[in-house]
Amino acid sequence: MIIIFKENAPEKEINLLEKEIRALGLDIHKSKGQDTLLWGLVGDTSKINMDWLAARQIVESVKRVQEPYKKANRKFHPQDTVVDVAGKKIGGGHFQVIAGPCSIENTQQINSVALSVAQSGAGLLRGGAFKPRTSPYAFQGLHDEGLKLLLEAKKVCGLPVVTELMTPEHVDLFQDVDMIQIGTRNMQNFELLKEVGKLKTPILLKRGMANTLDELLMSAEYIMAGGNENVILCERGIRTFEPSTRNTLDLSAIPMLKKKTHLPVIVDPSHACGIRWMVEPMALAAIAAGADGLMIEVHNDPEKALCDGPQSLTPEMFNTLMDKVRRATAFFREL
Ligand code: PEP
Ligand code: MN
C-alpha cells in the first residue's frame, strides 16, 4: 500500500500516523521526492482500511500495490536508486563497467588483467574464486587463495572488486569484497539471499537463466527485506530454443525492469552470447536499451583461460570496446 502526502502536511500529524501504522505491526518505506512525500507500507496491509487513511487531512491519495515485490517496486520509490560500490556509483545516470577474468587463476594473470582493464577505464574489477561449474571435473576456482589474489589485485589496480558467493557458509570470507555477486544458478537460493540481506555490502544479483523478471524482483525483495537495499540487477541471457548462442540476451528486460523497479540494471553480454566477437555489439545494444552498466569478461590469454575463454575479450579488444562504450553512453544520454 502506498500513501502520498499533501504538500506541506504538518510533520506532527505525519509522526502521529507513523505511530499508528507501526502499532499495526507494519514497516514503512519512506521516499521523499522534490515536493512529495511517499510511504510504502510493508507487511500485512489487509488489516488497513483504505478509507480510514484517505480521510486524513494530510493524505493526498492511497493506493494498493498489486505486485508482490514492495521494496524493489518503483511505485514505492519513484526515483532511481544509486548504489555506491566503494565510491563507484551505479544507477540514476551513473554508468559503470565491471571487467575482469571469469576466474582468478594466478597472481600474474589477475594482476595483468586488473591493470589493463583499469587503464582502459573499467570502474570495477571482477574475478571468480568460487566457480559454479556444470562439470564436477572442471576447474572450480582457487577458493580462499583466489579471494586473497583478488584483494591483492585490488591494491595493484585501485579498483573495487566483485566476486561470486555460492553458499552462506563462505560469507565470512567475503568481508573485504566490495560487491558480492549472486550467480544465475543461485538466484533462487533463498537461504543465500537471506544471508546477504543481513549485510551492508552491495549485491549484484544475476537473473536466473530460466527465471522471469518478476521472479528476479522477488529475489531482490528477499535481500531488501533483510535490510540490504544495495541491490543491482544483472541480465545475463536466458535459455531459449536457439542453440547458436550460449544464451539469448533478453534486451527487453532492461526497459521492463526499469519500469517495474528503481534498482540499477546492468547487462553481462559475455555470458549471454558466449562468443567473443559478439560481446561488443551486444554491449552497445544494452547501452541503447538503457542499461546502467556492463559486466565484461577479459583475459590476458583467452585461448589458455581455465574458464570461459571463448567469450573472453583480449585486453586490446576491451580497450576498443571501452572507447565505443564512452561514445555510446554520451550519445544516448543526449538522446
Ligand atoms: C560469472 O559471472 O562468472 C558467472 C558464473 O555468471 P552466471 O552466474 O551469469 O553464469
Ligand atoms: Mn564466466
Side-chain angles (χ1 to χ4, degrees):
M1 188 177 281
I2 287 173
I3 306 175
I4 299 167
F5 288 90
K6 284 191 181 143
E7 245 180 90
N8 309 322
E11 213 172 298
K12 214 174 108 196
E13 290 187 42
I14 295 177
N15 293 342
L16 206 70
L17 183 60
E18 173 165 3
K19 269 196 199 132
E20 290 179 47
I21 291 171
R22 291 203 188 273
L24 293 169
L26 296 167
D27 197 14
I28 304 173
H29 192 273
K30 298 177 185 176
S31 176
K32 204 163 165 40
Q34 217 153 35
D35 27 46
T36 48
L37 173 65
L38 183 154
W39 283 0
L41 307 190
V42 189
D44 180 10
T45 53
S46 61
K47 49 194 161 196
I48 290 203
N49 181 338
M50 280 177 73
D51 297 336
W52 169 77
L53 276 176
R56 303 266 173 150
Q57 279 295 322
I58 52 174
V59 172
E60 176 75 41
S61 61
V62 185
K63 285 185 234 159
R64 281 218 181 267
V65 176
Q66 303 300 336
E67 297 84 4
Y69 47 93
K70 311 290 178 190
K71 293 193 166 192
N73 202 316
R74 194 177 274 283
K75 289 178 187 158
F76 263 48
H77 191 288
Q79 308 86 357
D80 288 341
T81 280
V82 180
V83 176
D84 189 319
V85 187
K88 302 283 174 156
K89 292 193 169 85
I90 308 183
H94 301 273
F95 188 92
Q96 294 292 344
V97 177
I98 305 167
C102 179
S103 47
I104 301 147
E105 299 172 7
N106 55 61
T107 307
Q108 193 270 331
Q109 174 247 13
I110 187 66
N111 286 355
S112 131
V113 179
L115 281 171
S116 65
V117 298
Q119 225 159 44
S120 298
L124 298 99
L125 173 68
R126 64 151 285 149
F130 294 89
K131 296 301 306 174
R133 302 303 299 275
T134 302
S135 166
Y137 308 118
F139 176 58
Q140 305 283 310
L142 296 180
H143 295 182
D144 315 36
E145 177 63 16
L147 286 180
K148 199 176 120 225
L149 297 187
L150 183 64
L151 294 170
E152 278 168 20
K154 172 183 170 167
K155 284 193 206 130
V156 170
C157 70
L159 300 180
V161 293
V162 186
T163 191
E164 180 167 352
L165 171 68
M166 292 207 296
T167 166
E169 286 155 38
H170 292 159
V171 76
D172 290 343
L173 298 172
F174 282 61
Q175 271 168 12
D176 297 324
V177 167
D178 299 297
M179 176 149 70
I180 294 177
Q181 177 172 320
I182 302 296
T184 198
R185 294 158 188 84
N186 273 313
M187 189 204 87
Q188 286 191 316
N189 181 339
F190 300 115
E191 291 309 315
L192 184 59
L193 299 178
K194 284 186 219 166
E195 199 60 35
V196 297
K198 296 180 197 157
L199 308 176
K200 297 252 182 302
T201 317
I203 306 299
L204 179 62
L205 178 64
K206 297 187 98 175
R207 179 183 181 182
M209 64 182 90
N211 284 111
T212 65
L213 298 181
D214 282 5
E215 285 165 346
L216 171 62
L217 291 170
M218 287 312 290
S219 292
E221 191 77 13
Y222 258 95
I223 302 169
M224 298 173 89
N228 188 352
E229 300 198 354
N230 299 311
V231 181
I232 296 174
L233 306 173
C234 180
E235 162 60 35
R236 47 77 71 206
I238 50 173
R239 277 281 166 88
T240 67
F241 51 79
E242 177 51 60
S244 51
T245 46
R246 185 176 179 183
N247 293 283
T248 297
L249 180 59
D250 181 8
L251 282 171
S252 59
I254 308 160
M256 187 56 87
L257 282 171
K258 298 206 127 232
K259 198 156 196 70
K260 287 170 180 270
T261 181
H262 51 89
L263 297 173
V265 180
I266 72 161
V267 168
D268 170 353
S270 306
H271 290 89
C273 56
I275 312 168
R276 187 173 307 134
W277 61 262
M278 207 185 274
V279 171
E280 181 181 298
M282 291 297 97
L284 298 177
I287 294 170
D292 297 301
L294 294 166
M295 180 181 247
I296 310 282
E297 284 190 342
V298 181
H299 197 283
N300 55 328
D301 189 357
E303 302 307 323
K304 298 208 180 78
L306 297 180
C307 186
D308 286 349
Q311 69 195 33
S312 301
L313 302 191
T314 61
E316 295 71 31
M317 287 176 86
F318 179 69
N319 195 51
T320 306
L321 171 65
M322 281 304 290
D323 189 39
K324 295 189 184 179
V325 162
R326 274 187 288 272
R327 286 190 277 152
T329 47
F331 178 78
F332 284 104
R333 201 169 288 140
E334 289 296 305
L335 217 60

